[in-house]
């Protein structure tokens, strides 16, 4: 029996500037522990540098890409609100 290989036809890249390396590192640390639930259908690579988080998604279908992107954005908003409420770095 042959195993079909998935075609990663859908992708998305984005970056978010947090204004400080400390804030970007905090949010990155929060998001990095949340792995994709279906790694055979969606891949996510993240990195942090110079106060920015860089994210690259690949998916086999647009709906998986949308769901993963949306979920990560929701978590990023929550982490950012937490930093705004309870402190973080204000360096520019």
């Amino acid at each position: 029996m042959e195993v079909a290989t998935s075609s990663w036809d859908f992708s998305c890249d984005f970056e978010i500037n947090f204004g400080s390396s400390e804030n970007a590192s905090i949010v990155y640390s929060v998001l990095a522990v949340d792995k994709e639930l279906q790694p055979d259908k969606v891949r996510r690579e993240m990195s942090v540098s110079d106060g920015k988080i860089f994210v690259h998604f690949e998916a086999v279908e647009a709906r998986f890409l949308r769901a993963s992107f949306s979920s990560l954005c929701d978590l990023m908003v929550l982490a950012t609100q937490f930093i705004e409420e309870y402190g973080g770095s204000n360096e520019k």
Side-chain angles (χ1 to χ4, degrees):
M1 175 192 239
E2 283 188 40
V3 176
T5 57
S6 297
S7 177
W8 304 91
D9 292 335
F10 301 89
S11 66
C12 176
D13 294 296
F14 73 100
E15 69 179 63
I16 302 92
N17 186 345
F18 284 92
S20 79
S21 295
E22 180 184 4
N23 290 349
S25 293
I26 291 169
V27 174
Y28 175 83
S29 296
V30 169
L31 299 176
V33 298
D34 186 35
K35 303 299 179 196
E36 290 299 330
L37 297 176
Q38 298 183 45
D40 58 322
K41 296 183 174 112
V42 179
R43 287 190 271 205
R44 179 183 73 213
E45 297 173 5
M46 294 190 330
S47 62
V48 62
S49 178
D50 298 325
K52 296 178 183 178
I53 294 178
F54 302 90
V55 186
H56 174 75
F57 289 96
E58 292 180 335
V60 297
E61 294 181 31
R63 66 188 177 120
F64 294 119
L65 179 63
R66 181 206 52 80
S68 183
F69 180 89
S70 178
S71 176
L72 186 76
C73 287
D74 289 345
L75 292 171
M76 194 170 298
V77 167
L78 183 62
T80 301
Q81 288 173 338
F82 183 87
I83 289 171
E84 289 173 350
E85 181 74 24
Y86 296 103
S89 178
N90 292 323
E91 72 181 55
K92 292 288 178 184

